[in-house]
Amino acid sequence: MKKKLILIATSLSIFFWPISANAYSDQILIGGDNIGIHIDSNGIMIIGFYKVDGKFQKGSKEIEVGDVITKVNNKDVFSIEELTKEIDKNLNNNKIALTIKRDSEIFETELELKEVDGIYKTGLYVKDGISGIGTLTYIDPGTKIFGTLGHEIIESTSSKRIEVKTGTIFDSSVSKIIKSTDGKVGEKNANLNYKDVLGTITKNTLYGVFGSYTDTLPNAKAFAVGKPDEITTGKATIYTVLTNNEVKEYDINITKINPDTNIKNITFEIIDEQLLKETGGVIQGMSGSPIIQNNKIIGAVTHAIVDNVKNGYGIFITTMLEEGEK
């Protein structure tokens, strides 16, 4: 009988612009566009375990959910395909050496392969990438650096930040809105066009996802950058998509400004009746929607307040711009 290996995997425009003393431009192109996001992880993430022959396989040094496999038998692996290939070379040994990264720690462990009915099993659920949607916040026309989301992307099972090996942003269109209600945040559903690549992702940080915009610069509005000390409570607007690819402006009211937090710098409430009618409040997929006040871009939407979904948080745009330039 031919022996097989089973490894369970889950996946998921030229313009002249004035340059300021900062690394970023004085005026930046605002987004509001719905985009698809895909990141290939720098290593293979362990997202769970299944029982083999009645028990869990955890390795000679215990493996945990959220650990990242970087090598198999001292061979670098970056995808599930590469992982499977390297394991397949060593089926006769019944054991494999794994190099594991856990936060800043690197360690070695040995994992025993179990043969069940002619099939070798690892006991690991793994993932090598993640896909989703968000809202493009800005493009710097001077450098073509873009920023989106205003917060990090984490793997939902492990709650660990995805370390970027490669990644892209691409065209997508909103197909459906699931409304938010207090206690439950709704979401945008979208059709993803993976082939229509708009840019490459270089990093996933606490302050957002950043990279290089590779497509022709869009015919978008350019706004001056608003500094934190220029932001006031009161009226502002956000730009986002609720239907297909149509970016629209909606009214919000800024209720609080907090410069002492990392990303929840701006607290706001949605006051636009049309937006509330269609979404119920802040929804998933709205992250990254640019916030405009007094004809300046001042921030981006980052979070809903779950118990009162008409309210949400935003990050200062200067924080995103500075992070994108690093």
Side-chain angles (χ1 to χ4, degrees), residues 201-244:
I201 294 170
T202 56
K203 53 185 176 180
N204 171 31
T205 79
L206 177 66
Y207 309 108
V209 173
F210 304 91
S212 178
Y213 198 85
T214 56
D215 199 20
T216 303
L217 289 175
N219 185 24
K221 292 183 179 181
F223 283 87
V225 175
K227 304 299 191 290
D229 61 4
E230 297 178 293
I231 304 170
T232 64
T233 57
K235 186 178 178 180
T237 61
I238 64 171
Y239 283 75
T240 201
V241 173
L242 300 183
T243 305
N244 297 323

mmCIF file of all heavy atoms in Angstrom, residues 201-244:
data_model
loop_
_atom_site.group_PDB
_atom_site.id
_atom_site.type_symbol
_atom_site.label_atom_id
_atom_site.label_comp_id
_atom_site.label_asym_id
_atom_site.label_seq_id
_atom_site.Cartn_x
_atom_site.Cartn_y
_atom_site.Cartn_z
ATOM 1 N N ILE A 201 2.286 44.589 -0.335
ATOM 2 C CA ILE A 201 2.354 44.835 1.105
ATOM 3 C C ILE A 201 3.755 44.516 1.611
ATOM 4 O O ILE A 201 4.327 43.469 1.280
ATOM 5 C CB ILE A 201 1.319 43.958 1.842
ATOM 6 C CG1 ILE A 201 -0.098 44.385 1.467
ATOM 7 C CG2 ILE A 201 1.513 44.032 3.360
ATOM 8 C CD1 ILE A 201 -1.171 43.447 1.958
ATOM 9 N N THR A 202 4.308 45.413 2.411
ATOM 10 C CA THR A 202 5.637 45.188 2.974
ATOM 11 C C THR A 202 5.623 44.974 4.478
ATOM 12 O O THR A 202 6.531 44.342 5.017
ATOM 13 C CB THR A 202 6.579 46.368 2.651
ATOM 14 O OG1 THR A 202 5.978 47.590 3.134
ATOM 15 C CG2 THR A 202 6.803 46.481 1.156
ATOM 16 N N LYS A 203 4.581 45.497 5.168
ATOM 17 C CA LYS A 203 4.570 45.276 6.616
ATOM 18 C C LYS A 203 3.164 45.380 7.190
ATOM 19 O O LYS A 203 2.299 46.082 6.672
ATOM 20 C CB LYS A 203 5.503 46.255 7.332
ATOM 21 C CG LYS A 203 5.281 47.727 7.031
ATOM 22 C CD LYS A 203 6.357 48.562 7.721
ATOM 23 C CE LYS A 203 6.234 50.034 7.370
ATOM 24 N NZ LYS A 203 7.272 50.848 8.041
ATOM 25 N N ASN A 204 2.972 44.648 8.261
ATOM 26 C CA ASN A 204 1.728 44.580 9.017
ATOM 27 C C ASN A 204 2.070 44.977 10.442
ATOM 28 O O ASN A 204 2.729 44.226 11.163
ATOM 29 C CB ASN A 204 1.168 43.156 8.943
ATOM 30 C CG ASN A 204 -0.008 42.923 9.866
ATOM 31 O OD1 ASN A 204 -0.788 43.838 10.153
ATOM 32 N ND2 ASN A 204 -0.158 41.687 10.332
ATOM 33 N N THR A 205 1.645 46.170 10.852
ATOM 34 C CA THR A 205 2.070 46.704 12.142
ATOM 35 C C THR A 205 0.870 47.056 13.009
ATOM 36 O O THR A 205 -0.277 47.033 12.560
ATOM 37 C CB THR A 205 2.931 47.967 11.974
ATOM 38 O OG1 THR A 205 2.079 49.107 11.719
ATOM 39 C CG2 THR A 205 3.916 47.818 10.820
ATOM 40 N N LEU A 206 1.152 47.419 14.245
ATOM 41 C CA LEU A 206 0.113 47.850 15.170
ATOM 42 C C LEU A 206 -0.688 49.008 14.591
ATOM 43 O O LEU A 206 -1.874 49.160 14.884
ATOM 44 C CB LEU A 206 0.755 48.279 16.492
ATOM 45 C CG LEU A 206 -0.175 48.827 17.579
ATOM 46 C CD1 LEU A 206 -1.128 47.729 18.069
ATOM 47 C CD2 LEU A 206 0.638 49.389 18.744
ATOM 48 N N TYR A 207 -0.054 49.832 13.732
ATOM 49 C CA TYR A 207 -0.682 51.051 13.219
ATOM 50 C C TYR A 207 -1.264 50.898 11.815
ATOM 51 O O TYR A 207 -1.708 51.886 11.225
ATOM 52 C CB TYR A 207 0.337 52.191 13.228
ATOM 53 C CG TYR A 207 1.015 52.342 14.559
ATOM 54 C CD1 TYR A 207 2.342 51.979 14.736
ATOM 55 C CD2 TYR A 207 0.303 52.822 15.662
ATOM 56 C CE1 TYR A 207 2.960 52.104 15.971
ATOM 57 C CE2 TYR A 207 0.914 52.951 16.898
ATOM 58 C CZ TYR A 207 2.239 52.587 17.052
ATOM 59 O OH TYR A 207 2.839 52.697 18.285
ATOM 60 N N GLY A 208 -1.265 49.690 11.285
ATOM 61 C CA GLY A 208 -1.863 49.466 9.979
ATOM 62 C C GLY A 208 -1.011 48.599 9.082
ATOM 63 O O GLY A 208 0.062 48.113 9.457
ATOM 64 N N VAL A 209 -1.507 48.413 7.867
ATOM 65 C CA VAL A 209 -0.824 47.631 6.835
ATOM 66 C C VAL A 209 -0.325 48.599 5.773
ATOM 67 O O VAL A 209 -1.072 49.465 5.301
ATOM 68 C CB VAL A 209 -1.778 46.593 6.221
ATOM 69 C CG1 VAL A 209 -1.139 45.884 5.036
ATOM 70 C CG2 VAL A 209 -2.195 45.579 7.293
ATOM 71 N N PHE A 210 0.949 48.447 5.387
ATOM 72 C CA PHE A 210 1.593 49.419 4.504
ATOM 73 C C PHE A 210 2.345 48.722 3.385
ATOM 74 O O PHE A 210 2.706 47.547 3.489
ATOM 75 C CB PHE A 210 2.565 50.294 5.305
ATOM 76 C CG PHE A 210 1.926 50.993 6.466
ATOM 77 C CD1 PHE A 210 1.903 50.396 7.730
ATOM 78 C CD2 PHE A 210 1.323 52.233 6.303
ATOM 79 C CE1 PHE A 210 1.309 51.035 8.806
ATOM 80 C CE2 PHE A 210 0.723 52.874 7.377
ATOM 81 C CZ PHE A 210 0.720 52.274 8.619
ATOM 82 N N GLY A 211 2.575 49.488 2.311
ATOM 83 C CA GLY A 211 3.316 48.936 1.194
ATOM 84 C C GLY A 211 3.451 49.941 0.072
ATOM 85 O O GLY A 211 3.300 51.154 0.268
ATOM 86 N N SER A 212 3.739 49.428 -1.119
ATOM 87 C CA SER A 212 3.969 50.259 -2.287
ATOM 88 C C SER A 212 2.818 50.123 -3.265
ATOM 89 O O SER A 212 2.453 49.004 -3.649
ATOM 90 C CB SER A 212 5.283 49.838 -2.968
ATOM 91 O OG SER A 212 5.514 50.594 -4.138
ATOM 92 N N TYR A 213 2.228 51.251 -3.659
ATOM 93 C CA TYR A 213 1.134 51.253 -4.628
ATOM 94 C C TYR A 213 1.749 51.127 -6.017
ATOM 95 O O TYR A 213 2.486 52.005 -6.477
ATOM 96 C CB TYR A 213 0.319 52.534 -4.505
ATOM 97 C CG TYR A 213 -1.055 52.445 -5.147
ATOM 98 C CD1 TYR A 213 -2.129 51.914 -4.430
ATOM 99 C CD2 TYR A 213 -1.273 52.892 -6.440
ATOM 100 C CE1 TYR A 213 -3.386 51.824 -5.001
ATOM 101 C CE2 TYR A 213 -2.532 52.812 -7.018
ATOM 102 C CZ TYR A 213 -3.586 52.275 -6.294
ATOM 103 O OH TYR A 213 -4.832 52.183 -6.870
ATOM 104 N N THR A 214 1.463 50.033 -6.709
ATOM 105 C CA THR A 214 2.122 49.731 -7.975
ATOM 106 C C THR A 214 1.265 50.055 -9.187
ATOM 107 O O THR A 214 1.771 50.104 -10.307
ATOM 108 C CB THR A 214 2.528 48.252 -8.022
ATOM 109 O OG1 THR A 214 1.364 47.428 -7.797
ATOM 110 C CG2 THR A 214 3.563 47.936 -6.951
ATOM 111 N N ASP A 215 -0.034 50.235 -9.011
ATOM 112 C CA ASP A 215 -0.912 50.585 -10.105
ATOM 113 C C ASP A 215 -0.787 52.085 -10.405
ATOM 114 O O ASP A 215 -0.140 52.833 -9.667
ATOM 115 C CB ASP A 215 -2.353 50.227 -9.738
ATOM 116 C CG ASP A 215 -3.273 50.119 -10.945
ATOM 117 O OD1 ASP A 215 -2.752 49.937 -12.061
ATOM 118 O OD2 ASP A 215 -4.505 50.222 -10.781
ATOM 119 N N THR A 216 -1.422 52.525 -11.496
ATOM 120 C CA THR A 216 -1.464 53.956 -11.797
ATOM 121 C C THR A 216 -2.178 54.687 -10.670
ATOM 122 O O THR A 216 -3.204 54.219 -10.170
ATOM 123 C CB THR A 216 -2.219 54.199 -13.121
ATOM 124 O OG1 THR A 216 -1.577 53.460 -14.161
ATOM 125 C CG2 THR A 216 -2.216 55.678 -13.475
ATOM 126 N N LEU A 217 -1.650 55.834 -10.252
ATOM 127 C CA LEU A 217 -2.296 56.585 -9.178
ATOM 128 C C LEU A 217 -3.726 56.935 -9.563
ATOM 129 O O LEU A 217 -3.980 57.385 -10.680
ATOM 130 C CB LEU A 217 -1.518 57.864 -8.867
ATOM 131 C CG LEU A 217 -0.170 57.696 -8.159
ATOM 132 C CD1 LEU A 217 0.521 59.042 -8.035
ATOM 133 C CD2 LEU A 217 -0.341 57.058 -6.787
ATOM 134 N N PRO A 218 -4.671 56.722 -8.669
ATOM 135 C CA PRO A 218 -6.069 56.985 -8.998
ATOM 136 C C PRO A 218 -6.373 58.484 -9.050
ATOM 137 O O PRO A 218 -5.636 59.305 -8.498
ATOM 138 C CB PRO A 218 -6.822 56.318 -7.841
ATOM 139 C CG PRO A 218 -5.867 56.399 -6.693
ATOM 140 C CD PRO A 218 -4.503 56.213 -7.301
ATOM 141 N N ASN A 219 -7.488 58.794 -9.697
ATOM 142 C CA ASN A 219 -7.949 60.183 -9.761
ATOM 143 C C ASN A 219 -8.726 60.490 -8.490
ATOM 144 O O ASN A 219 -9.943 60.677 -8.491
ATOM 145 C CB ASN A 219 -8.828 60.382 -10.997
ATOM 146 C CG ASN A 219 -9.245 61.830 -11.175
ATOM 147 O OD1 ASN A 219 -8.576 62.741 -10.698
ATOM 148 N ND2 ASN A 219 -10.362 62.049 -11.846
ATOM 149 N N ALA A 220 -8.002 60.533 -7.383
ATOM 150 C CA ALA A 220 -8.618 60.722 -6.067
ATOM 151 C C ALA A 220 -8.365 62.130 -5.557
ATOM 152 O O ALA A 220 -7.470 62.841 -6.029
ATOM 153 C CB ALA A 220 -8.048 59.701 -5.082
ATOM 154 N N LYS A 221 -9.161 62.537 -4.561
ATOM 155 C CA LYS A 221 -8.990 63.852 -3.957
ATOM 156 C C LYS A 221 -7.699 63.896 -3.149
ATOM 157 O O LYS A 221 -7.339 62.928 -2.481
ATOM 158 C CB LYS A 221 -10.173 64.176 -3.040
ATOM 159 C CG LYS A 221 -11.495 64.384 -3.766
ATOM 160 C CD LYS A 221 -12.592 64.772 -2.774
ATOM 161 C CE LYS A 221 -13.914 65.002 -3.482
ATOM 162 N NZ LYS A 221 -14.993 65.397 -2.539
ATOM 163 N N ALA A 222 -7.001 65.019 -3.233
ATOM 164 C CA ALA A 222 -5.798 65.235 -2.423
ATOM 165 C C ALA A 222 -6.127 66.200 -1.294
ATOM 166 O O ALA A 222 -6.748 67.236 -1.514
ATOM 167 C CB ALA A 222 -4.672 65.783 -3.282
ATOM 168 N N PHE A 223 -5.749 65.821 -0.087
ATOM 169 C CA PHE A 223 -6.001 66.660 1.082
ATOM 170 C C PHE A 223 -4.708 66.927 1.828
ATOM 171 O O PHE A 223 -3.804 66.072 1.870
ATOM 172 C CB PHE A 223 -6.982 65.968 2.033
ATOM 173 C CG PHE A 223 -8.412 66.024 1.608
ATOM 174 C CD1 PHE A 223 -8.935 65.060 0.755
ATOM 175 C CD2 PHE A 223 -9.252 67.039 2.048
ATOM 176 C CE1 PHE A 223 -10.257 65.096 0.361
ATOM 177 C CE2 PHE A 223 -10.577 67.086 1.661
ATOM 178 C CZ PHE A 223 -11.088 66.112 0.812
ATOM 179 N N ALA A 224 -4.633 68.109 2.437
ATOM 180 C CA ALA A 224 -3.522 68.409 3.326
ATOM 181 C C ALA A 224 -3.598 67.499 4.544
ATOM 182 O O ALA A 224 -4.670 67.030 4.932
ATOM 183 C CB ALA A 224 -3.572 69.880 3.748
ATOM 184 N N VAL A 225 -2.438 67.253 5.152
ATOM 185 C CA VAL A 225 -2.356 66.391 6.331
ATOM 186 C C VAL A 225 -2.649 67.213 7.580
ATOM 187 O O VAL A 225 -1.994 68.230 7.845
ATOM 188 C CB VAL A 225 -0.965 65.738 6.434
ATOM 189 C CG1 VAL A 225 -0.838 64.945 7.735
ATOM 190 C CG2 VAL A 225 -0.705 64.861 5.219
ATOM 191 N N GLY A 226 -3.637 66.785 8.364
ATOM 192 C CA GLY A 226 -3.980 67.455 9.609
ATOM 193 C C GLY A 226 -3.188 66.888 10.767
ATOM 194 O O GLY A 226 -3.160 65.675 10.974
ATOM 195 N N LYS A 227 -2.539 67.761 11.517
ATOM 196 C CA LYS A 227 -1.766 67.324 12.681
ATOM 197 C C LYS A 227 -2.696 67.105 13.877
ATOM 198 O O LYS A 227 -3.789 67.680 13.950
ATOM 199 C CB LYS A 227 -0.720 68.380 13.040
ATOM 200 C CG LYS A 227 0.225 68.744 11.899
ATOM 201 C CD LYS A 227 1.024 67.533 11.430
ATOM 202 C CE LYS A 227 2.148 67.959 10.471
ATOM 203 N NZ LYS A 227 1.637 68.422 9.163
ATOM 204 N N PRO A 228 -2.296 66.297 14.839
ATOM 205 C CA PRO A 228 -3.154 66.023 16.002
ATOM 206 C C PRO A 228 -3.642 67.277 16.716
ATOM 207 O O PRO A 228 -4.797 67.325 17.168
ATOM 208 C CB PRO A 228 -2.247 65.177 16.908
ATOM 209 C CG PRO A 228 -1.362 64.451 15.951
ATOM 210 C CD PRO A 228 -1.079 65.444 14.849
ATOM 211 N N ASP A 229 -2.783 68.315 16.828
ATOM 212 C CA ASP A 229 -3.209 69.515 17.558
ATOM 213 C C ASP A 229 -4.157 70.398 16.748
ATOM 214 O O ASP A 229 -4.658 71.407 17.252
ATOM 215 C CB ASP A 229 -2.002 70.317 18.043
ATOM 216 C CG ASP A 229 -1.103 70.814 16.901
ATOM 217 O OD1 ASP A 229 -1.455 70.599 15.713
ATOM 218 O OD2 ASP A 229 -0.048 71.409 17.197
ATOM 219 N N GLU A 230 -4.429 70.019 15.494
ATOM 220 C CA GLU A 230 -5.399 70.744 14.674
ATOM 221 C C GLU A 230 -6.783 70.118 14.740
ATOM 222 O O GLU A 230 -7.751 70.708 14.271
ATOM 223 C CB GLU A 230 -4.944 70.773 13.211
ATOM 224 C CG GLU A 230 -3.633 71.500 12.980
ATOM 225 C CD GLU A 230 -3.205 71.451 11.526
ATOM 226 O OE1 GLU A 230 -2.890 70.350 11.033
ATOM 227 O OE2 GLU A 230 -3.208 72.515 10.880
ATOM 228 N N ILE A 231 -6.886 68.928 15.318
ATOM 229 C CA ILE A 231 -8.163 68.216 15.367
ATOM 230 C C ILE A 231 -9.006 68.762 16.502
ATOM 231 O O ILE A 231 -8.509 68.997 17.613
ATOM 232 C CB ILE A 231 -7.926 66.703 15.554
ATOM 233 C CG1 ILE A 231 -7.014 66.167 14.444
ATOM 234 C CG2 ILE A 231 -9.251 65.942 15.553
ATOM 235 C CD1 ILE A 231 -6.543 64.741 14.679
ATOM 236 N N THR A 232 -10.285 68.933 16.246
ATOM 237 C CA THR A 232 -11.204 69.424 17.270
ATOM 238 C C THR A 232 -12.392 68.487 17.387
ATOM 239 O O THR A 232 -12.679 67.706 16.471
ATOM 240 C CB THR A 232 -11.726 70.833 16.921
ATOM 241 O OG1 THR A 232 -12.502 70.768 15.703
ATOM 242 C CG2 THR A 232 -10.577 71.803 16.739
ATOM 243 N N THR A 233 -13.074 68.548 18.505
ATOM 244 C CA THR A 233 -14.351 67.848 18.590
ATOM 245 C C THR A 233 -15.351 68.555 17.677
ATOM 246 O O THR A 233 -15.208 69.737 17.369
ATOM 247 C CB THR A 233 -14.872 67.820 20.032
ATOM 248 O OG1 THR A 233 -14.977 69.164 20.509
ATOM 249 C CG2 THR A 233 -13.944 67.004 20.940
ATOM 250 N N GLY A 234 -16.357 67.797 17.254
ATOM 251 C CA GLY A 234 -17.348 68.365 16.351
ATOM 252 C C GLY A 234 -17.379 67.656 15.020
ATOM 253 O O GLY A 234 -16.874 66.535 14.858
ATOM 254 N N LYS A 235 -17.940 68.313 14.043
ATOM 255 C CA LYS A 235 -18.240 67.680 12.760
ATOM 256 C C LYS A 235 -16.995 67.275 11.971
ATOM 257 O O LYS A 235 -15.988 67.974 11.940
ATOM 258 C CB LYS A 235 -19.092 68.621 11.903
ATOM 259 C CG LYS A 235 -19.575 67.975 10.609
ATOM 260 C CD LYS A 235 -20.459 68.911 9.801
ATOM 261 C CE LYS A 235 -20.883 68.244 8.487
ATOM 262 N NZ LYS A 235 -21.740 69.124 7.654
ATOM 263 N N ALA A 236 -17.114 66.114 11.342
ATOM 264 C CA ALA A 236 -16.098 65.603 10.424
ATOM 265 C C ALA A 236 -16.816 64.658 9.457
ATOM 266 O O ALA A 236 -18.029 64.446 9.568
ATOM 267 C CB ALA A 236 -14.984 64.881 11.178
ATOM 268 N N THR A 237 -16.073 64.076 8.535
ATOM 269 C CA THR A 237 -16.667 63.116 7.606
ATOM 270 C C THR A 237 -15.730 61.933 7.420
ATOM 271 O O THR A 237 -14.530 62.017 7.709
ATOM 272 C CB THR A 237 -16.955 63.744 6.223
ATOM 273 O OG1 THR A 237 -15.721 64.201 5.648
ATOM 274 C CG2 THR A 237 -17.939 64.894 6.332
ATOM 275 N N ILE A 238 -16.305 60.827 6.948
ATOM 276 C CA ILE A 238 -15.496 59.682 6.542
ATOM 277 C C ILE A 238 -15.845 59.324 5.112
ATOM 278 O O ILE A 238 -16.945 59.598 4.634
ATOM 279 C CB ILE A 238 -15.708 58.455 7.463
ATOM 280 C CG1 ILE A 238 -17.150 57.930 7.372
ATOM 281 C CG2 ILE A 238 -15.319 58.771 8.892
ATOM 282 C CD1 ILE A 238 -17.352 56.593 8.078
ATOM 283 N N TYR A 239 -14.890 58.703 4.430
ATOM 284 C CA TYR A 239 -15.100 58.208 3.070
ATOM 285 C C TYR A 239 -15.034 56.684 3.092
ATOM 286 O O TYR A 239 -14.070 56.115 3.628
ATOM 287 C CB TYR A 239 -14.026 58.747 2.126
ATOM 288 C CG TYR A 239 -14.211 60.183 1.703
ATOM 289 C CD1 TYR A 239 -13.929 61.227 2.581
ATOM 290 C CD2 TYR A 239 -14.670 60.501 0.428
ATOM 291 C CE1 TYR A 239 -14.093 62.550 2.198
ATOM 292 C CE2 TYR A 239 -14.841 61.824 0.030
ATOM 293 C CZ TYR A 239 -14.552 62.843 0.916
ATOM 294 O OH TYR A 239 -14.722 64.158 0.525
ATOM 295 N N THR A 240 -16.070 56.044 2.530
ATOM 296 C CA THR A 240 -16.090 54.587 2.492
ATOM 297 C C THR A 240 -17.020 54.106 1.393
ATOM 298 O O THR A 240 -17.745 54.903 0.788
ATOM 299 C CB THR A 240 -16.483 54.016 3.878
ATOM 300 O OG1 THR A 240 -16.042 52.666 3.985
ATOM 301 C CG2 THR A 240 -17.978 54.112 4.131
ATOM 302 N N VAL A 241 -17.014 52.797 1.137
ATOM 303 C CA VAL A 241 -17.849 52.173 0.106
ATOM 304 C C VAL A 241 -18.888 51.277 0.761
ATOM 305 O O VAL A 241 -18.552 50.463 1.635
ATOM 306 C CB VAL A 241 -17.002 51.331 -0.871
ATOM 307 C CG1 VAL A 241 -17.892 50.553 -1.834
ATOM 308 C CG2 VAL A 241 -16.041 52.206 -1.654
ATOM 309 N N LEU A 242 -20.135 51.423 0.327
ATOM 310 C CA LEU A 242 -21.205 50.535 0.788
ATOM 311 C C LEU A 242 -21.791 49.704 -0.345
ATOM 312 O O LEU A 242 -22.372 48.650 -0.096
ATOM 313 C CB LEU A 242 -22.325 51.344 1.456
ATOM 314 C CG LEU A 242 -21.942 52.177 2.686
ATOM 315 C CD1 LEU A 242 -23.184 52.854 3.259
ATOM 316 C CD2 LEU A 242 -21.254 51.323 3.741
ATOM 317 N N THR A 243 -21.638 50.179 -1.585
ATOM 318 C CA THR A 243 -22.185 49.476 -2.746
ATOM 319 C C THR A 243 -21.157 49.454 -3.868
ATOM 320 O O THR A 243 -20.626 50.503 -4.253
ATOM 321 C CB THR A 243 -23.471 50.159 -3.256
ATOM 322 O OG1 THR A 243 -24.413 50.256 -2.181
ATOM 323 C CG2 THR A 243 -24.095 49.352 -4.384
ATOM 324 N N ASN A 244 -20.872 48.254 -4.378
ATOM 325 C CA ASN A 244 -19.936 48.077 -5.486
ATOM 326 C C ASN A 244 -18.604 48.774 -5.195
ATOM 327 O O ASN A 244 -17.951 48.471 -4.231
ATOM 328 C CB ASN A 244 -20.562 48.562 -6.791
ATOM 329 C CG ASN A 244 -21.792 47.753 -7.162
ATOM 330 O OD1 ASN A 244 -21.835 46.550 -6.955
ATOM 331 N ND2 ASN A 244 -22.800 48.417 -7.700
#
